[in-house]
Amino acid sequence: MKAKPPTINCRLKSVRQSKGLSQIQLAGLVGVKRQAIYDIESGKYIPNTALALNMAKHLSCRVEDLFSEESEEDEQIATLIEPVDDRNSRVALARVRERLVGYPLSGKSVFDDGFRPSDGLIGKSGNRVRLLNPGDRLDKTILLLGCDPAFSLLNAHVARIAPEVRIHCRFASSLRSLEVLAAGNAHLAGVHLHNSGDEEANVLVTRDRLGGKKALIIGFSHIEEGLMVGPGNPHSIRSVADLAKKTIRLVNREPGAALRVLLDDCLERLNIPASAIDGYQQEVTNHMEGAQMVRYRFADAALGFRAIADACGLDFVPIEAVRCDLVIPLDLKDNPSVRILLDTMQSLRLRRELSALPGYESSHTGVLIAES
């Protein structure tokens, strides 16, 4: 039986581009036609030793930087913060304290305007991934959990300052975000609980959930929270009290979500039992799902942000404005990519764009709130 030919990973294109050379320019330097460079970069042709050495010489690198044999070393053990669907093996990855951490690109995380590219593929063992992105790319990736949709703007502003750094923004409730952070499986967590007493709720819950681990709490945004209702507010909903009307159907958020806590506190103050709310037990796990339920008339009101209601063409009934903070473990604050993120949060351009979102305000963006 013939041995299976080796699979060669070719990084010529990325190295060439990093040196500012076109295919034609590199071809001229090493004495081949442009088509040969194209065929090498597309995997159609493996160069001989002499050509490989010549390219490495002109690109000021090693042959191993341009070509390597794919082997079992390309598979690494990863910690997954969510279970993987057997039908989909694509995952997003980041390196957190030398460990590979990721989540599946399935369900709600598949689409933006198209399929999101993955960093690796899960193997049959379930905890090993075959990397599709170079290891150094994962070293410069930040994993941020939270439910502020403006985190995607932070990612874009970071990329403008440092294109090599990226942020994987994974939607999760405030409490779930802190849970994953406490387990060491994320770089940052977004928290936006409302204050019900004299002390800062975000600070209190961080201290409680991190179990004594030191962290910085940095302000990110102020967000207007409330009820997303149909265009023109056809049921004349004016406050949380109106949810007790028999004609109103609510769609709630899951336990642990900051908006669910806000609703429960409001109902307690109004002395309205949860059982009096039609749809209290009907749950969605993010703002957009709730907005779609209202938009397509499966519900009359959903908990969410003014910005989401505006984006979906819905009306909005405000309840409270809260601050969303980023929680950063103290030992990660000097991580080079995290430092770039913190510097970006001082940017006037970021604050201006946040303030341009309906229901957003940026006076505390980048401000140290507390050290827990």
Side-chain angles (χ1 to χ4, degrees):
M1 181 182 293
K2 289 185 178 181
K4 183 180 178 181
T7 300
I8 301 298
N9 288 325
C10 176
R11 292 182 288 275
L12 175 60
K13 182 177 180 179
S14 61
V15 175
R16 170 180 61 77
Q17 290 178 336
S18 72
K19 304 295 183 180
L21 295 175
S22 67
Q23 289 181 335
I24 293 175
Q25 289 171 320
L26 179 60
L29 290 171
V30 299
V32 298
K33 294 182 178 180
R34 174 196 168 276
Q35 185 65 40
I37 302 298
Y38 173 82
D39 288 344
I40 293 170
E41 291 183 351
S42 61
K44 295 179 181 178
Y45 167 56
I46 298 175
N48 59 36
T49 303
L51 179 54
L53 288 168
N54 198 11
M55 288 190 295
K57 172 186 172 183
H58 285 285
L59 291 171
S60 301
C61 66
R62 303 171 303 165
V63 172
E64 301 96 292
D65 296 325
L66 300 177
F67 308 99
S68 63
E69 182 179 350
E70 188 174 287
S71 66
E72 290 304 313
E73 293 180 358
D74 293 308
E75 284 195 354
Q76 297 186 26
I77 294 175
T79 299
L80 298 179
I81 61 175
E82 297 171 18
V84 176
D85 189 327
D86 290 339
R87 297 169 295 178
N88 194 342
S89 62
R90 301 170 61 248
V91 292
L93 298 166
R95 204 175 301 282
V96 184
R97 299 185 185 89
E98 306 303 322
R99 292 189 306 111
L100 210 55
V101 178
Y103 56 87
L105 288 172
S106 58
K108 296 183 287 295
S109 66
V110 170
F111 289 107
D112 288 320
D113 293 323
F115 287 109
R116 289 181 55 191
S118 64
D119 297 314
L121 302 174
I122 288 290
K124 293 181 180 179
S125 62
N127 69 339
R128 297 185 69 88
V129 294
R130 182 171 294 276
L131 300 185
L132 300 179
N133 241 335
D136 59 349
R137 181 67 166 151
L138 304 181
D139 293 339
K140 297 174 182 176
T141 299
I142 297 170
L143 180 53
L144 163 58
L145 273 70
C147 63
D148 187 343
F151 289 149
S152 61
L153 301 184
L154 177 61
N155 181 32
H157 282 262
V158 165
R160 291 169 190 169
I161 294 173
E164 73 279 7
V165 176
R166 60 181 182 157
I167 306 173
H168 279 328
C169 304
R170 183 59 169 170
F171 192 97
S173 70
S174 294
L175 297 186
R176 171 61 179 163
S177 299
L178 287 173
E179 176 187 324
V180 174
L181 190 71
N185 294 330
H187 294 93
L188 297 90
V191 184
H192 65 97
L193 295 174
H194 71 286
N195 299 330
S196 56
D198 295 333
E199 296 189 75
E200 292 275 2
N202 289 348
V203 176
L204 289 174
V205 73
T206 296
R207 288 173 178 164
D208 177 61
R209 297 296 170 131
L210 293 192
K213 295 178 181 177
K214 297 296 183 182
L216 299 178
I217 301 174
I218 309 291
F220 177 68
S221 64
H222 273 90
I223 318 167
E224 199 170 3
E225 298 179 326
L227 299 171
M228 300 182 291
V229 299
N233 197 357
H235 296 277
S236 300
I237 299 171
R238 302 288 178 238
S239 69
V240 169
D242 290 331
L243 298 178
K245 294 178 180 178
K246 299 300 182 184
T247 56
I248 306 297
R249 298 166 302 163
L250 172 72
V251 60
N252 206 349
R253 282 293 304 277
E254 78 280 14
L259 283 162
R260 172 76 167 250
V261 176
L262 175 60
L263 174 64
D264 288 345
D265 284 354
C266 289
L267 293 177
E268 184 177 354
R269 287 197 301 269
L270 293 167
N271 199 28
I272 298 175
S275 58
I277 308 297
D278 183 8
Y280 181 88
Q281 300 297 335
Q282 182 177 217
E283 299 170 1
V284 293
T285 57
N286 64 53
H287 309 284
M288 192 58 71
E289 285 182 355
Q292 295 300 331
M293 291 283 285
V294 174
R295 185 177 181 182
Y296 294 107
R297 300 180 183 178
F298 292 107
D300 303 309
L303 297 163
F305 297 161
R306 179 182 290 277
I308 299 296
D310 183 83
C312 294
L314 302 176
D315 273 20
F316 184 77
V317 179
I319 298 176
E320 189 166 326
V322 299
R323 192 184 65 242
C324 177
D325 295 331
L326 290 180
V327 180
I328 307 168
L330 207 56
D331 68 303
L332 293 180
K333 72 179 179 66
D334 291 323
N335 175 293
S337 298
V338 173
R339 290 302 315 170
I340 290 171
L341 178 146
L342 291 174
D343 290 343
T344 303
M345 289 176 63
Q346 305 300 321
S347 162
L348 179 59
R349 291 180 177 180
L350 173 62
R351 294 198 297 272
R352 283 175 173 168
E353 185 163 12
L354 283 174
S355 296
L357 293 171
Y360 271 75
E361 194 263 322
S362 61
S363 61
H364 282 81
T365 302
V367 174
L368 176 63
I369 303 301
E371 184 173 328
S372 70

